[in-house]
Amino acid sequence: MTKEEASVVFKALGEPNRLKIVKMLLNNDDELCACKLLGAVDCKQATLSHHLSVLKECKLLESRKSGKNIIYCINKKLLDEVNDFMRDSCEECRRLDE
């Protein structure tokens, strides 16, 4: 993952409701329908749709349709890449401090 790619993900997570959405998905078997997210996030449906769109654009979320519902889940591969990026960045900083 490049610094630019990581920056896009971190920017998306910089909004409190988006961070809450990601945390909810991580704590609820990684899958929730938009209707459940709306009940937990303090915003209107149009605003939730915008937040979900931003998270999908940076590829942190994936979605699928189930009947009339849209089910959202975390892109675990991308989340692993972000974790690796942070770990590598921290190791690089430690080496610079030595």
Side-chain angles (χ1 to χ4, degrees):
M1 171 168 275
T2 67
K3 289 178 186 176
E4 291 77 17
E5 291 168 331
S7 174
V8 171
V9 173
F10 293 135
K11 182 177 180 183
L13 292 174
E15 203 288 331
N17 280 323
R18 290 184 208 135
L19 187 57
K20 186 173 185 178
I21 290 166
V22 170
K23 289 169 96 176
M24 287 177 60
L25 287 166
L26 289 170
N27 290 324
N28 287 287
D29 298 326
D30 298 325
E31 244 188 22
L32 286 173
C33 71
C35 58
K36 297 226 182 199
L37 292 168
L38 184 60
V41 177
D42 186 28
C43 66
K44 297 185 186 249
Q45 194 277 328
T47 305
L48 176 65
S49 291
H50 170 73
H51 290 319
L52 293 170
S53 176
V54 170
L55 291 167
K56 282 185 69 175
E57 283 176 24
C58 77
K59 302 194 180 359
L60 195 53
L61 290 189
E62 297 174 336
S63 65
R64 65 179 173 84
K65 195 160 181 150
S66 176
K68 293 182 180 182
N69 295 321
I70 298 178
I71 308 298
Y72 291 90
C73 65
I74 298 290
N75 177 347
K76 292 180 182 180
K77 182 179 181 224
L78 182 67
L79 192 59
D80 288 342
E81 289 177 19
V82 170
N83 285 332
D84 291 344
F85 174 84
M86 289 302 298
R87 187 188 61 248
D88 295 345
S89 295
C90 290
E91 288 174 5
E92 184 179 318
C93 288
R94 275 191 224 111
R95 282 193 301 270
L96 291 174
D97 285 344
E98 293 175 353

